[in-house]
Amino acid sequence: MATNPSDSSMNDRDHTLLRNEMLEILRNQSIHSVYQPIISLKNGTVLGYEALTRGPENSPLHSPLTLFSYAEQEGMLYRLDRLAREKAIHGAFLARKNELLFINISAAILYDPLFVPGKTLEMLEAHGIQPGQIVFEITERSSIEDFSMAKKILEHYRHQGYRIAIDDAGAGYSSLQAIAELQPDFIKVDKSLIQDVYRSKTKEAIMESFVSFAQKLNIQIIAEGIERQEELLYLTRMGVHFGQGYLLGRPGTEKAVVAPELAESIIQQRKIRDNIGSAWTIGDLITATATFDSKALISEVASYFKNNLHAPGVVIVSNDVPVGLMMRESLFQQLAGQYGFSLFWNRSIDQIMDKQPLIVDEHTPVENVSQLATSRDINNLYDLVVITSKGKMAGACSIRSILECITNARMESAKVASPLTGLPGNIQIHRELSKRLLEKKGFSVIYADLDYFKWFNDRYGFQKGDQLIQYTADVIQQSLFACGLPHDFVGHIGGDDFIAITSSDEPEKLCKEIIRRFDQGVRLLYEGDDWLYVEDRNGNKVDNAGVTISLSLIICGTAGSVTLEQISQASAKLKKMSKEHPGSIYHCACIGDGDYV
């Protein structure tokens, strides 16, 4: 059995053996790195890899936690960390120039006088890796005692191109302070907040808060420890940017390949998240904007503004590629100084332009651009957003036009979506059914409603009733995620009534999965009560062990002329049949001709 180095009962002999083992590891450089992929929860692609250190096989110091804990205890942490960093870079296999390598460092390492960018930069150049591809993960479990010093050190690395991540956020003592003081590029949320997030309203609320303030600060969220599909579904729909965990890929030494079904599911769930305003891209808001070459004289730009009083700014280009922005107000502020005209009038515009304007591709969603634009410094908040097409100058748009677009899109969505669940409402449901009928392909419709919901709502109150409605919506979506197809549809008719439209060849399997998931978790909402009966709408006692779900499955054939009226009539008959039987149940009917069923 391996000896625990933190065990206070370790005898001198064990201590000597472990110390010798550590010295041998450092001397022979006998550690290695494995790489766990970090996946985009927007499109299922690989963002990069986290390098994870492993000690020698069959060694009591094989585990990274044991290895680094003992090294810190024995004053060897700096040496081990430098070696681990070298091994991580040496074994890296980044497939593309935009893939990232995440390297763990302890907060204590920041104060190591030998922790300098020069050595790391040499290793990177030898392996064809740019500093911009390296993310230093600072573990939050190791407390940062001097934030001002840490911030100064990290700024030095940022200037070299490196990025910063706060690791284990939510697991230690100073997550929020570390985020506020260090302003990282990434926040890695500890797996303790990720596990069973779909079952915990508290964890869900915490994650939503992380996503909300990260968007405002232009920080990317990475959820660690994703092991279940339900967790992936929830996090994707919350808007979490990236994920990491055994479900998405285990640590290894080869390039990661995301399972196609997982990538498709991520895309599908993201569409649910982004359905508000998703039809609008920033290219839809392009307006013609004057451009000047980077070597044009400042006097030329000033003259343009004087002759075009309503022009807020101009884009500075080089070979038709935007390289800067000059806003009217900023230019005249610089010229208004005591020596402004004499200093700048005959100089080129590239000397005073904003060299880091917000430049986005025409296909970027408006919502995404809004988040980027409003996270800028207050002095640049209302600057124009420059838009490109295939890397070339296409135009620009104002913050006002972006906000107007988002407001109009949300108002339109609010008219047709359920305010409680966010699912498509009756107008969208009608459109989806009509579209399926016009395609004349086989599909199935599942109508779902709750039995004895009024009793539950009266018993526990409307807030619990809303939770039950939301729970039902989640169950149906999770079931489609597990047993359905990527383009299946879920809608909220109203109250406790829902609809699912699926092209699955096994719609009855889907019904069984909805019932299984519903019955498995609904009792958690009962606050510990154990019911032998419920009450119907007239107050009569009915032998039933709580709220159940009734499903009406209508299988629509491929060749026959199925109508919306037929679907509605079949649903009404099936609903009546289901209500006559206790417990969660489904009844099925086939309409239309063809060989679908």
Side-chain angles (χ1 to χ4, degrees):
M1 186 173 74
T3 304
N4 184 355
S6 63
D7 189 346
S8 60
S9 64
M10 185 192 304
N11 58 42
D12 290 342
R13 181 175 177 276
D14 290 336
H15 180 80
T16 301
L17 289 173
L18 270 180
R19 184 173 179 81
N20 290 338
E21 177 78 11
M22 175 60 76
L23 291 171
E24 191 73 11
I25 288 173
L26 293 174
R27 186 180 304 113
N28 297 327
Q29 300 187 0
S30 52
I31 62 173
H32 66 280
S33 290
V34 291
Y35 302 85
Q36 186 170 30
I38 298 172
I39 306 302
S40 167
L41 298 191
K42 182 177 181 181
N43 54 26
T45 58
V46 176
L47 168 72
Y49 299 84
E50 178 183 358
L52 302 168
T53 301
R54 297 289 186 265
E57 294 291 339
N58 303 318
S59 167
L61 298 177
H62 173 70
S63 163
L65 181 59
T66 305
L67 179 67
F68 281 90
S69 296
Y70 186 72
E72 184 173 13
Q73 176 185 318
E74 295 298 310
M76 304 179 193
L77 182 60
Y78 292 165
R79 292 175 61 189
L80 178 63
D81 185 84
R82 287 196 298 273
L83 178 59
R85 198 158 63 249
E86 292 173 6
K87 292 288 186 178
I89 295 171
H90 179 74
F93 44 85
L94 303 182
R96 303 187 309 275
K97 287 296 183 182
N98 60 346
E99 284 189 353
L100 305 179
L101 177 63
F102 288 71
I103 300 177
N104 288 281
I105 60 173
S106 168
I109 295 300
L110 295 176
Y111 311 107
D112 177 9
L114 297 178
F115 184 59
V116 292
K119 180 69 174 178
T120 303
L121 187 58
E122 289 177 13
M123 289 187 288
L124 293 178
E125 290 176 346
H127 291 83
I129 301 174
Q130 299 297 319
Q133 293 177 266
I134 301 297
V135 183
F136 288 130
E137 283 192 30
I138 303 173
T139 177
E140 199 277 325
R141 284 193 178 93
S142 54
S143 179
I144 298 175
E145 297 178 0
D146 187 345
F147 276 104
S148 60
M149 176 64 75
K151 186 175 181 179
K152 183 178 180 180
I153 294 169
L154 292 177
E155 279 302 315
H156 180 65
Y157 290 108
R158 276 205 174 96
H159 287 315
Q160 308 298 319
Y162 301 99
R163 306 190 210 187
I164 306 299
I166 297 295
D167 195 14
D168 301 323
Y173 307 102
S174 54
S175 296
L176 294 180
Q177 186 181 5
I179 293 166
E181 295 283 354
L182 304 182
Q183 300 176 11
D185 302 284
F186 299 91
I187 298 173
K188 299 193 76 176
V189 181
D190 188 73
K191 65 181 181 181
S192 62
L193 288 176
I194 303 304
Q195 291 177 341
D196 296 331
V197 63
Y198 59 98
R199 292 179 176 173
S200 170
K201 291 296 179 182
T202 302
K203 290 182 179 181
E204 179 182 348
I206 293 172
M207 285 302 301
E208 286 176 345
S209 298
F210 266 122
V211 171
S212 178
F213 78 70
Q215 288 176 340
K216 293 177 181 178
L217 298 175
N218 197 25
I219 298 173
Q220 305 286 298
I221 295 289
I222 302 174
E224 297 185 293
I226 300 175
E227 297 183 359
R228 300 180 180 180
Q229 288 188 339
E230 293 89 347
E231 294 164 353
L232 179 65
L233 178 152
Y234 245 65
L235 295 165
T236 303
R237 286 180 50 213
M238 276 185 201
V240 173
H241 306 99
F242 302 99
Q244 182 179 359
Y246 286 170
L247 178 67
L248 297 169
R250 291 178 175 269
T253 55
E254 296 181 357
K255 179 182 175 183
V257 178
V258 182
E261 60 272 17
L262 276 182
E264 187 64 36
S265 296
I266 288 171
I267 294 171
Q268 178 191 14
Q269 295 305 316
R270 197 64 174 205
K271 285 180 179 178
I272 296 175
R273 161 78 184 185
D274 296 338
N275 63 351
I276 298 176
S278 62
W280 292 91
T281 64
I282 198 66
D284 296 317
L285 306 183
I286 287 179
T287 57
T289 304
T291 61
F292 285 85
D293 186 81
S294 59
K295 296 304 178 183
L297 297 180
I298 293 173
S299 56
E300 295 178 46
V301 180
S303 298
Y304 171 80
F305 282 134
K306 287 182 179 180
N307 295 326
N308 296 270
L309 299 179
H310 297 292
V314 297
V315 179
I316 312 304
V317 298
S318 176
N319 297 321
D320 206 26
V321 175
V323 294
L325 180 69
M326 193 72 252
M327 297 298 292
R328 168 194 291 274
E329 184 178 353
S330 177
L331 174 60
F332 286 124
Q333 279 181 351
Q334 297 195 56
L335 294 178
Q338 185 175 1
Y339 304 105
F341 276 91
S342 58
L343 283 174
F344 298 119
W345 195 248
N346 291 316
R347 294 187 180 183
S348 59
I349 193 67
D350 61 351
Q351 296 187 35
I352 63 169
M353 69 181 183
D354 177 4
K355 296 180 180 179
Q356 294 183 316
L358 178 55
I359 302 175
V360 295
D361 181 78
E362 61 181 336
H363 299 298
T364 308
V366 171
E367 286 272 0
N368 293 6
V369 178
S370 174
Q371 292 167 7
L372 293 171
T374 54
S375 66
R376 294 182 292 188
D377 185 271
I378 187 66
N379 296 320
N380 303 105
L381 188 59
Y382 294 102
D383 287 1
L384 292 174
V385 174
V386 182
I387 305 170
T388 61
S389 176
K390 297 181 180 179
K392 300 291 186 178
M393 174 65 186
C397 71
S398 66
I399 294 298
R400 177 177 178 175
S401 64
I402 291 174
L403 296 179
E404 285 179 347
C405 175
I406 292 173
T407 300
N408 292 335
R410 285 179 171 170
M411 289 176 64
E412 184 64 27
S413 179
K415 295 177 184 177
V416 294
S418 163
L420 177 57
T421 62
L423 291 174
N426 287 320
I427 294 176
Q428 290 154 300
I429 291 170
H430 187 273
R431 288 174 182 168
E432 184 69 20
L433 282 170
S434 299
K435 184 185 77 172
R436 300 277 182 142
L437 291 173
L438 287 173
E439 290 174 349
K440 294 186 178 181
K441 297 179 181 178
F443 68 95
S444 298
V445 180
I446 302 171
Y447 285 94
D449 73 307
L450 301 180
D451 307 314
Y452 311 111
F453 173 73
K454 182 179 182 301
W455 161 80
F456 180 91
N457 204 54
D458 291 344
R459 170 65 181 158
Y460 294 109
F462 71 90
Q463 190 170 16
K464 275 286 187 179
D466 286 351
Q467 288 184 21
L468 179 55
I469 295 296
Q470 183 63 63
Y471 169 74
T472 306
D474 293 340
V475 163
I476 296 172
Q477 290 178 95
Q478 291 166 11
S479 300
L480 279 174
F481 181 81
C483 302
L485 297 176
H487 299 292
D488 288 349
F489 174 91
V490 181
H492 188 181
I493 298 170
D496 61 331
D497 292 314
F498 295 86
I499 186 173
I501 305 173
T502 177
S503 299
S504 170
D505 292 334
E506 300 179 287
E508 294 193 56
K509 180 180 178 181
L510 178 55
C511 289
K512 293 175 182 177
E513 181 67 8
I514 292 173
I515 290 173
R516 184 190 70 80
R517 288 174 180 263
F518 182 87
D519 288 346
Q520 185 180 58
V522 70
R523 300 188 68 82
L524 297 175
L525 299 173
Y526 292 174
E527 300 182 351
D529 295 337
D530 193 10
W531 294 94
L532 299 177
Y533 69 89
V534 296
E535 295 179 359
D536 63 18
R537 292 184 175 273
N538 298 318
N540 301 316
K541 294 182 179 180
V542 179
D543 292 334
N544 215 57
V547 180
T548 51
I549 190 168
S550 293
L551 305 179
S552 303
L553 170 62
I554 302 101
I555 300 177
C556 303
T558 57
S561 179
V562 178
T563 65
L564 288 174
E565 185 178 1
Q566 285 179 298
I567 295 174
S568 178
Q569 291 175 350
S571 170
K573 292 179 181 178
L574 294 175
K575 180 176 180 179
K576 184 177 180 180
M577 293 171 60
S578 296
K579 293 293 184 182
E580 292 174 351
H581 293 81
S584 296
I585 195 171
Y586 76 92
H587 282 88
C588 175
C590 301
I591 60 177
D593 300 322
D595 53 5
Y596 177 74
V597 297

